[in-house]
Amino acid sequence: MRTPIPRRALLAAPLVLAGPARAQPAWPDRPVRVIGPVAPGGPTDQLARQSARELTNRLGQPVVVENRPGAGANIGIGQAARATPDGTTLLFVSAAIAINPSLYATVPYDLARDLVPVTRVGTSFNIIAAFPARPLADIAGLVAAARARPGALTYSSPGIGTSPHLAMEMLKQRAGIDILHVPFNGAAPAVQAALGGQVDMVSSSLPVAQAHVAAGTLRGLAVTGPSAIGGVPSLVEQGFVGLVSDNFQAFFAPAGTPPAIVARLAATLHGWLAEPETVTAMTRQGFSIIADSPANFALALRAESALWAGVVRAGNIRAE
């Protein structure tokens, strides 16, 4: 004899069966944090905050930048890599994420395993600029002066292993010259050292130094883009074919983040970056927009990692 099924169980059964078929909650359904592994105020932090404001407006949920600086960005990157992959934690970071695995003995993340590329928002080229009182007018003059007095010339940078530092190291390796590196903790003090004549020149990201070059308080010797920027010729145009380097600014998500979330985030950012007002504003700040797909970004990231690993190895560079 069959045992009767209680009426309450019969009523509940369709709800239980229907549970797995229900659509997942739309993303985002709560605030999103963006880990910025740098101190507040620099170009990467500024662009992270601009991006977060736009995402807040377009996604309908607060998107807030949390600065987690330290260890050359490794602390913040590691925190993002360990975050729950539900779309509530993102990472906004520069090319340091591709440089650090070759620069440090250990890093708290595996770039291929722990993080998913979303999109590069933009990139900035670097600039080599001299203290105006120094007799340095172009790269040919710089190379000649360095060869005449090996190790006598000095240059500042935002720090060991930063994109501007490695850009200058690329030039030194290609030209076979010796220039003393004076690292600082950040772009602003590195530029100030050149402005005050404490060093002969500075290798800096373009957004930080371009106003000083435009004002004549620094003399632009070369940019690391493929062509001239703001009247300053590129290294390529001055005989160093293929010597191009940039510092991308990009979004990542923890590995395991649903592909639909990654796709929506990329599409939302691309919509903002396609607007003429955005292009104008970012160009004025010294950035070039990239807005690539997650797949294309992943390919570029592998090439970027290989490039910087070669420079670091050839220069025997290690983070302090």
Side-chain angles (χ1 to χ4, degrees):
M1 180 177 176
R2 296 175 60 190
T3 303
I5 300 176
R7 175 177 171 81
R8 182 177 301 170
L10 287 172
L11 291 174
L15 298 177
V16 173
L17 292 173
R22 286 182 298 181
Q24 295 297 313
W27 177 85
D29 61 346
R30 51 192 151 150
V32 175
R33 68 167 177 159
V34 176
I35 293 179
V38 295
T44 299
D45 178 64
Q46 291 174 18
L47 192 51
R49 293 179 185 280
Q50 291 175 40
S51 302
R53 285 194 296 270
E54 289 299 326
L55 288 174
T56 296
N57 294 336
R58 293 163 188 263
L59 295 176
Q61 287 286 349
V63 179
V64 181
V65 174
E66 294 184 7
N67 296 95
R68 295 288 184 268
N74 284 331
I75 290 176
I77 298 172
Q79 289 179 343
R82 296 187 299 271
T84 303
D86 58 2
T88 61
T89 299
L90 305 172
L91 172 68
F92 190 86
V93 68
S94 70
I97 195 171
I99 296 170
N100 287 359
S102 59
L103 186 68
Y104 289 83
T106 59
V107 293
Y109 63 94
D110 183 310
L111 187 52
R113 181 193 65 206
D114 297 334
L115 293 156
V116 176
V118 177
T119 187
R120 288 179 291 182
V121 169
T123 191
S124 60
F125 295 107
N126 298 305
I127 184 169
I128 301 168
F131 180 56
R134 302 293 189 267
L136 300 171
D138 54 23
I139 292 300
L142 168 61
V143 171
R147 286 176 177 167
R149 301 170 60 212
L153 292 178
T154 58
Y155 81 95
S156 59
S157 85
I160 294 174
T162 58
S163 175
H165 170 214
L166 297 185
M168 179 62 98
E169 291 301 313
M170 287 177 69
L171 173 61
K172 288 168 57 179
Q173 291 168 18
R174 283 281 298 273
I177 55 178
D178 181 16
I179 303 174
L180 179 64
H181 178 217
V182 182
F184 283 81
N185 186 22
V191 169
Q192 284 299 322
L195 288 169
Q198 284 83 40
V199 293
D200 297 305
M201 71 202 87
V202 60
S203 184
S204 167
S205 64
L206 188 61
V208 177
Q210 65 180 352
H212 299 290
V213 173
T217 49
L218 287 175
R219 181 186 300 122
L221 304 183
V223 292
T224 64
S227 58
I229 301 175
V232 180
S234 69
L235 289 169
V236 173
E237 293 167 328
Q238 297 184 73
F240 290 90
V241 178
L243 210 165
V244 175
S245 68
D246 63 349
N247 184 25
F248 68 74
Q249 317 288 328
F251 274 96
F252 289 80
T257 300
I261 291 178
V262 173
R264 186 179 178 202
L265 176 59
T268 302
L269 288 164
H270 293 169
W272 166 53
L273 295 169
E275 295 181 352
E277 296 83 358
T278 306
V279 175
T280 299
M282 288 186 62
T283 300
R284 189 182 303 118
Q285 295 172 59
F287 291 103
S288 299
I289 290 174
I290 300 183
D292 48 0
S293 68
N296 286 343
F297 181 19
L299 290 174
L301 194 59
R302 286 196 286 272
E304 190 92 359
S305 298
L307 168 67
W308 294 125
V311 174
V312 168
R313 186 167 51 250
N316 194 26
I317 302 168
R318 288 290 177 268
E320 295 180 348

